[in-house]
Amino acid sequence: AQSVTQLGSHVSVSEGALVLLRCNYSSSVPPYLFWYVQYPNQGLQLLLKYTSAATLVKGINGFEAEFKKSETSFHLTKPSAHMSDAAEYFCAVSESGRTGNQFYFGTGTSLTVIP
Amino acid sequence: DAGVTQSPTHLIKTRGQQVTLRCSPKSGHDTVSWYQQALGQGPQFIFQYYEEEERQRGNFPDRFSGHQFPNYSSELNVNALLLGDSALYLCASSLGTLRSEQYFGPGTRLTVT
């Protein structure tokens, strides 16, 4: 089974500063990797996904992530934080089984943006 | 284009009762997955339905069961509710089952007292 580790359950950055949210995965096969964002009392919204094409993936709202196979990492970055980025962020890996697929999620990182 | 919808939004039940949650997938999607998200945790996979059959199942007891209808909508049933079943239940839809990106609904907040 796959697993996802998100280092840092809480991250605080100043408005305008770099955002870096860390994600490491374990997978015995080339993974499909995703970042989702969850605002309070809402479902998850897809930010970006890696599906074995370009290693640098650009997503919505200025976020991007880089797949590094040697480090089994898929860290999420944004050059300049905005107040509206404050939310919970989840990294996920998709595993295909014999008849379907399931997502394994990390425990999440809560991002606080300080004015 | 309607996204994933879930009903009800909130639900309060008593231990031992049974509950049914409902999900309508995003237009054009044929696969529905259910997740349980406890407070402060990431979503945990319950099961996935495709072509009206359960295709994958996570580590959840048989008290959790589901159904998918011909119009691709789905239900999650939980019997003999426990306090620990209190969580946000998320439905996600996708096109096909092979590593397709999933689109999530807003969830149903279940409280068991």
Side-chain angles (χ1 to χ4, degrees), chain B residues 83-104:
Chain B
L83 294 178
D85 294 331
S86 295
L88 180 68
Y89 287 85
L90 295 166
C91 169
S93 74
S94 58
L95 181 60
T97 59
L98 298 179
R99 294 185 165 183
S100 302
E101 62 194 66
Q102 299 190 340
Y103 291 80
F104 284 80

Side-chain angles (χ1 to χ4, degrees), chain A residues 21-51:
Chain A
L21 304 182
R22 300 178 186 275
C23 172
N24 289 88
Y25 67 91
S26 69
S27 173
S28 57
V29 297
Y32 277 33
L33 295 160
F34 304 80
W35 274 100
Y36 284 86
V37 61
Q38 186 176 35
Y39 297 99
N41 300 314
Q42 294 187 24
L44 279 68
Q45 179 183 5
L46 180 66
L47 277 176
L48 50 79
K49 64 178 179 179
Y50 167 77
T51 57

Side-chain angles (χ1 to χ4, degrees), chain A residues 14-103:
Chain A
S14 298
E15 189 175 15
L18 171 71
V19 175
L20 171 59
L21 304 182
R22 300 178 186 275
C23 172
N24 289 88
Y25 67 91
S26 69
S27 173
S28 57
V29 297
Y32 277 33
L33 295 160
F34 304 80
W35 274 100
Y36 284 86
V37 61
Q38 186 176 35
Y39 297 99
N41 300 314
Q42 294 187 24
L44 279 68
Q45 179 183 5
L46 180 66
L47 277 176
L48 50 79
K49 64 178 179 179
Y50 167 77
T51 57
S52 74
T55 57
L56 183 62
V57 181
K58 294 187 183 299
I60 62 172
N61 301 338
F63 284 95
E64 62 182 36
E66 185 174 8
F67 171 70
K68 291 186 177 181
K69 183 178 179 180
S70 61
E71 300 177 7
T72 60
S73 68
F74 190 57
H75 301 331
L76 181 71
T77 60
K78 182 174 181 177
S80 176
H82 191 273
M83 295 299 294
S84 61
D85 295 327
E88 189 85 17
Y89 291 80
F90 293 95
C91 181
V93 61
S94 174
E95 176 184 71
S96 289
R98 187 169 55 85
T99 57
N101 75 306
Q102 69 179 78
F103 279 41

Side-chain angles (χ1 to χ4, degrees), chain B residues 1-30:
Chain B
D1 178 23
V4 180
T5 60
Q6 293 186 243
S7 64
T9 55
H10 294 87
L11 204 54
I12 299 175
K13 290 287 188 178
T14 303
R15 276 180 298 175
Q17 286 188 317
Q18 178 264 345
V19 68
T20 297
L21 310 182
R22 295 176 176 82
C23 171
S24 291
K26 179 179 169 66
S27 178
H29 285 183
D30 56 9

Side-chain angles (χ1 to χ4, degrees), chain B residues 47-100:
Chain B
F47 42 52
Q48 182 180 72
Y49 275 84
Y50 173 69
E51 292 186 335
E52 302 180 49
E53 292 185 5
E54 183 182 292
R55 299 290 180 161
Q56 287 280 94
R57 189 178 182 92
N59 189 26
F60 278 80
D62 292 344
R63 298 187 297 109
F64 290 77
S65 63
H67 188 77
Q68 186 180 34
F69 300 94
N71 67 353
Y72 308 123
S73 66
S74 176
E75 289 182 349
L76 164 66
N77 300 292
V78 187
N79 294 322
L81 285 167
L82 304 173
L83 294 178
D85 294 331
S86 295
L88 180 68
Y89 287 85
L90 295 166
C91 169
S93 74
S94 58
L95 181 60
T97 59
L98 298 179
R99 294 185 165 183
S100 302

